[in-house]
């Protein structure tokens, strides 16, 4: 038999796990001969899909990690086997729009999300202005639009130079000013004009088509949508830990931070000085960091945001209006967070005692170079939760948890695709394959199912000559 190919996987999130499971399948089937090593810098597996339980017993995911419908059957089969019992939760999402309402009670200023389908909730003059602008945009159709609709049921994304141009040509000036621009610049931390528009399909809901006067004035009534969350586990991170149990223990090395990759000698060196040889690297760390470590692309012109997570554990009672909510969006610049997730609504095991406590998870966008004062941010978050009507001024705060994600969102800048194409080609010429949320740097395919499938598919491509459909 040929010598085994030495495969080093850098990272242990969904992409790395998908790759490792596919390698294990091919080895067990006798189709390949490979030695696999997974290097994880942290002291736990899961990457950005991890969960943290505080000393006081509150569990927070590293962001919003829920699952819904997916076309990736291997992903669904894998997590179903790991989880067993699921909670099926009605998706109830709102957006705070108190800057457009005269009401002083912020709890009365939430509208259903997507906001672009909820302009019927706006005060009269603003509603009429939004509707007029949307009607004017809808009337600007090409002579071939009728034929196009026969072929493509949903209108294609218009060709736009950047996200700012897309926003104005899709939502109109007023709606863009009230929500689209402030919210997106808050989460992405950059001007919309510096972002491409190629990623928006399936990620930025376009306004519903208006119906005639005999039909619902909101244009469409979306069918009830549910998402799934593990019923008996303390966070999504526990799900991925269960999946990893399928792998041989000797494949995984925790607290193994990769410091250097020598592409000439084909060796990986860790921060502790230990080094090991490789034939193939599947990397799931950020591609800009990988470029520096291996020396092939030390100065990639890519941008990312930093995300600060603030988890707040509270004593009950929970305000009644928050009990059905999944999460809510906040476009206002004066409010520190862009999203609040009512995470204790997802299952009964995310607080020390569901009868006594509840919790929220707040996400705050930062420029990647900006310093974070964790104490100040926690206090500001609590103040803004009170001001936005999420918690009461006399709510008893039991726990506060702050966690900084140095890599929060891979920003789809206007030069992104060209940069990635050149970089991936260069790295793959040295048998280094960069995949995952930040490994591919493609926000539009960065959900858990995308990431897991991306890992499986790159192994299929490397060893079996199969095509990749996600990356």
């Amino acid at each position: 038999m040929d010598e085994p190919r030495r495969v080093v996987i850098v990272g242990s999130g969904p992409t790395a796990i998908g790759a490792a499971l596919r390698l294990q399948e091919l080895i067990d089937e006798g189709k390949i001969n490979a030695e696999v090593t997974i290097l994880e810098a942290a002291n736990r597996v899961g990457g950005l899909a991890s969960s943290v339980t505080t000393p006081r017993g509150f569990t927070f995911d590293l962001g919003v990690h829920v699952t819904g419908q997916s076309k990736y059957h291997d992903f669904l089969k894998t997590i179903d086997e790991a989880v067993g019992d699921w909670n099926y939760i009605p998706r109830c999402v709102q957006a705070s729009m108190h800057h457009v309402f005269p009401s002083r009670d912020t709890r009365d200023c939430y509208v259903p999300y997507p906001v672009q389908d909820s302009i019927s909730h706006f005060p009269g003059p603003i509603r009429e202005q939004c509707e007029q602008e949307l009607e004017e945009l809808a009337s600007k159709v090409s002579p071939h639009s009728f034929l196009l609709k026969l072929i493509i049921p949903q209108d294609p994304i218009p060709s736009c130079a950047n996200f700012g141009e897309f926003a104005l040509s899709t939502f109109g000036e007023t709606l863009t000013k009230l929500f689209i621009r402030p919210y997106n610049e808050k989460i992405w931390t950059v001007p919309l004009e510096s972002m491409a528009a190629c990623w928006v399909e399936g990620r930025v809901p376009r306004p519903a088509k208006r119906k005639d006067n005999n039909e619902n004035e909101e244009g469409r009534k979306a069918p009830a949508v549910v998402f799934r969350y593990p019923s008996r586990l303390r966070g999504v991170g526990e799900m991925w830990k269960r999946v990893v149990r399928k792998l041989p223990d000797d494949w995984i090395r925790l607290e193994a931070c990769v410091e250097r990759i020598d592409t000439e000698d084909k060796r990986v060196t860790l921060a502790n000085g230990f080094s090991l040889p490789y034939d193939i690297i599947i990397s799931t760390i950020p591609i800009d960091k990988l470029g520096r470590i291996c020396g092939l692309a030390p100065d990639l012109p890519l941008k990312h945001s930093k995300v600060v997570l603030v988890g707040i554990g509270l004593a009950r009672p929970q305000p009644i209006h928050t009990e059905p909510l999944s999460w809510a969006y906040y476009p206002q610049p004066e409010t520190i967070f862009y999203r609040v997730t009512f995470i204790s609504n997802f299952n009964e095991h995310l607080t020390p005692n569901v009868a006594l406590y509840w919790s929220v998870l707040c996400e705050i966008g930062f420029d990647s170079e900006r310093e974070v004062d964790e104490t100040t941010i926690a206090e500001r978050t609590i103040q803004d939760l009170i001001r936005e009507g999420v918690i009461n001024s006399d709510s008893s705060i039991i726990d506060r948890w702050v966690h900084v994600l140095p890599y929060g969102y891979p920003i789809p800048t206007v030069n992104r695709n060209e940069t990635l194409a050149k970089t991936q080609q260069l790295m793959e010429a040295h048998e280094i394959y960069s995949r995952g949320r930040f490994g591919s740097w493609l926000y539009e395919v960065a959900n858990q199912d995308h990431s897991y499938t991306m890992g499986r598919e790159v192994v299929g491509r490397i060893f079996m000559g199969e095509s990749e459909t996600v990356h």
Side-chain angles (χ1 to χ4, degrees):
M1 181 179 287
D2 294 337
E3 288 292 316
R5 302 196 74 185
R6 297 163 298 189
V7 182
V8 172
I9 299 175
V10 185
S12 69
T15 304
I17 295 170
L21 288 175
R22 180 65 170 139
L23 283 165
Q24 184 185 38
E25 291 171 8
L26 294 175
I27 292 169
D28 291 346
E29 293 166 2
K31 294 181 178 178
I32 66 171
N33 185 17
E35 293 178 353
V36 182
T37 302
I38 301 171
L39 302 175
E40 170 54 57
N43 61 3
R44 63 179 183 270
V45 298
L48 290 174
S50 300
S51 305
V52 175
T53 298
T54 70
R56 295 190 176 182
F58 290 87
T59 298
F60 300 102
D61 294 334
L62 300 188
V64 180
H65 297 301
V66 299
T67 64
Q69 294 181 340
S70 176
K71 64 180 181 180
Y72 302 109
H73 300 296
D74 286 319
F75 167 78
L76 292 175
K77 180 184 177 195
T78 298
I79 64 172
D80 284 345
E81 290 175 352
V83 171
D85 296 329
W86 293 92
N87 285 342
Y88 290 82
I89 304 168
R91 185 181 186 274
C92 181
V93 181
Q94 296 184 346
S96 169
M97 297 296 289
H98 60 73
H99 54 299
V100 305
F101 290 95
S103 170
R104 293 185 179 180
D105 188 342
T106 53
R107 290 175 295 182
D108 296 331
C109 300
Y110 285 79
V111 302
Y113 181 86
V115 173
Q116 45 269 44
D117 284 355
S118 295
I119 59 177
S120 60
H121 295 267
F122 289 1
I126 297 176
R127 180 184 69 243
E128 292 168 4
Q129 184 65 30
C130 289
E131 290 175 345
Q132 179 181 340
E133 291 172 7
L134 289 172
E135 289 172 1
E136 290 173 355
L137 290 171
S139 68
K140 296 178 181 179
V141 295
S142 73
H144 307 292
S145 61
F146 176 74
L147 178 60
L148 187 62
K149 288 179 181 179
L150 294 178
I151 303 171
I152 305 175
Q154 183 173 356
D155 294 342
I157 293 292
S159 177
C160 298
N162 55 62
F163 186 27
E165 185 177 304
F166 164 80
L168 287 172
S169 64
T170 304
F171 305 106
E173 184 176 348
T174 302
L175 191 54
T176 295
K177 179 181 178 181
L178 291 176
F179 182 79
I180 304 298
R181 180 176 292 278
Y183 176 74
N184 281 282
E185 291 189 347
K186 191 173 181 181
I187 185 174
W188 293 108
T189 72
V190 297
L192 301 192
E193 286 69 26
S194 68
M195 298 173 63
C198 58
W199 61 277
V200 299
E201 184 67 69
R203 287 288 183 172
V204 180
R206 285 177 284 168
K209 294 191 185 330
R210 301 287 297 169
K211 295 189 177 183
D212 62 41
N213 292 333
N214 295 323
E215 299 187 73
N216 190 326
E217 69 167 344
E218 294 185 27
R220 67 180 170 194
K221 184 173 182 179
V225 176
V226 298
F227 62 85
R228 302 193 304 170
Y229 196 86
S231 177
R232 301 179 185 274
L233 303 184
R234 300 195 78 173
V236 165
E238 291 300 312
M239 175 183 79
W240 289 108
K241 287 181 179 179
R242 290 190 174 193
V243 174
V244 167
R245 292 175 192 167
K246 294 182 175 183
L247 299 172
D249 290 340
D250 60 359
W251 281 17
I252 303 169
R253 299 187 186 183
L254 299 178
E255 298 182 314
C257 180
V258 176
E259 190 171 80
R260 186 164 59 89
I261 297 173
D262 189 327
T263 58
E264 296 296 326
D265 293 339
K266 303 199 84 169
R267 295 193 71 86
V268 175
T269 301
L270 306 182
N272 63 8
F274 179 81
S275 71
L276 67 158
Y278 73 88
D279 295 306
I280 296 166
I281 288 178
I282 298 173
S283 174
T284 67
I285 65 175
I287 194 172
D288 61 341
K289 185 176 181 180
L290 175 64
R292 292 191 294 271
I293 289 173
C294 71
L296 295 175
D299 298 303
L300 289 178
L302 296 171
K303 289 185 68 66
H304 67 278
S305 70
K306 179 186 295 183
V307 169
V308 180
L309 304 173
V310 180
I312 305 295
L314 303 111
R316 291 192 180 276
Q318 178 178 352
I320 294 175
H321 70 281
T322 70
E323 290 181 354
L325 292 180
S326 308
W327 53 86
Y329 297 110
Y330 299 85
Q332 299 85 359
E334 66 272 17
T335 300
I336 192 171
F337 40 76
Y338 59 80
R339 176 165 58 184
V340 172
T341 299
F342 299 85
I343 192 165
S344 60
N345 290 350
F346 293 178
N347 83 19
E348 297 182 352
H349 303 280
L350 303 178
T351 69
N353 184 327
V354 69
L356 301 177
Y357 306 107
W358 67 291
S359 59
V360 295
L361 176 63
C362 307
E363 296 167 85
I364 304 164
F366 270 66
D367 181 271
S368 60
E369 301 298 324
R370 184 177 168 189
E371 294 295 323
V372 176
D373 183 335
E374 295 186 8
T375 301
T376 301
I377 284 178
E379 290 299 331
R380 171 79 183 278
T381 298
I382 292 169
Q383 293 171 10
D384 286 356
L385 286 171
I386 295 171
R387 185 169 54 81
E388 290 287 353
V390 177
I391 66 177
N392 298 325
S393 59
D394 59 352
S395 293
S396 178
I397 295 172
I398 306 301
D399 201 2
R400 59 187 75 188
W401 169 80
V402 179
H403 184 85
V404 180
L405 298 175
Y407 283 79
Y409 285 86
I411 301 174
T413 49
V414 291
N415 65 337
R416 181 199 68 172
N417 288 358
E418 179 182 355
T419 297
L420 290 174
K422 292 178 180 178
T423 305
Q424 294 281 10
Q425 183 178 18
L426 176 62
M427 290 185 175
E428 291 181 11
H430 290 80
E431 294 196 272
I432 299 175
Y433 298 82
S434 186
R435 298 292 186 271
R437 180 182 177 90
F438 281 98
S440 291
W441 211 273
L442 300 172
Y443 170 72
E444 56 268 37
V445 285
N447 290 348
Q448 291 181 99
D449 58 345
H450 296 129
S451 298
Y452 175 85
T453 305
M454 207 180 289
R456 290 186 59 88
E457 289 188 343
V458 72
V459 170
R461 176 186 158 199
I462 294 168
F463 287 94
M464 308 301 293
E466 298 168 354
S467 298
E468 293 182 86
T469 64
V470 182
H471 172 73

